[in-house]
Amino acid sequence: WGLKVKITDFRPTVWNDQVGYWFWARTFSLYGFTGGYNGWDEFVPKAAFNPYGENGPFYPMIYGMIGRFFGWKNYTPLLINMGVIAIALIIFIKVANLERKQILVTGLLTITLWPILIYIPTSSHESLNQAIGILIASIFYILLTREKPIALFQHIFFLLFLVIATFV
């Protein structure tokens, strides 16, 4: 508000990491895996099956699929960042069964953590990583506080989630 800008004013400009992520996600939203490669100095990756840079295809796939479904705008990654953080926090609040004061403290802590504040208004993948961290906290809360034994399929689900999270 103080800067008199809107989320819709976001424009990836100087070539840096977030611009690369923006282009990769946009390319995936429009063309999937057939979009070709774009990157710094146009170096072609040695792994031809991955046209999305050295960090792998998962971020462009996740954000690109959302962009394909809802449409891709310059500011789409910012909305996705806000959404994944909000969804992860809601899941944590539900899983941990937080009371009103605890929800308030969690909210205040979240809006004052500079890593969250720095990365939400970018097209970098850090907000997705932060949301995954919140979801992992939810999983560990379940594992540490549950009195009944956890079913085998739940263990497998948790392990599978951790494996997928490491790829992201």
Side-chain angles (χ1 to χ4, degrees), residues 60-120:
M61 286 171 53
I62 294 167
Y63 279 51
M65 288 304 294
I66 295 169
R68 180 177 224 129
F69 186 73
F70 291 106
W72 189 267
K73 305 284 186 213
N74 286 341
Y75 55 88
T76 298
L78 282 61
L79 298 177
I80 296 171
N81 287 345
M82 288 186 266
V84 296
I85 294 285
I87 291 167
L89 284 170
I90 290 168
I91 290 170
F92 178 75
I93 288 167
K94 293 290 185 188
V95 165
N97 198 21
L98 299 183
E99 298 171 0
R100 287 180 190 233
K101 287 181 182 177
Q102 293 171 315
I103 293 171
L104 179 64
V105 169
T106 301
L108 289 172
L109 183 63
T110 301
I111 65 171
T112 59
L113 285 172
W114 67 266
I116 290 177
L117 296 176
I118 284 175
Y119 289 112
I120 280 182

Side-chain angles (χ1 to χ4, degrees), residues 29-47:
S29 77
L30 297 173
Y31 306 106
F33 284 106
T34 62
Y37 182 77
N38 51 42
W40 296 268
D41 296 324
E42 295 302 321
F43 289 125
V44 177
K46 294 185 189 277

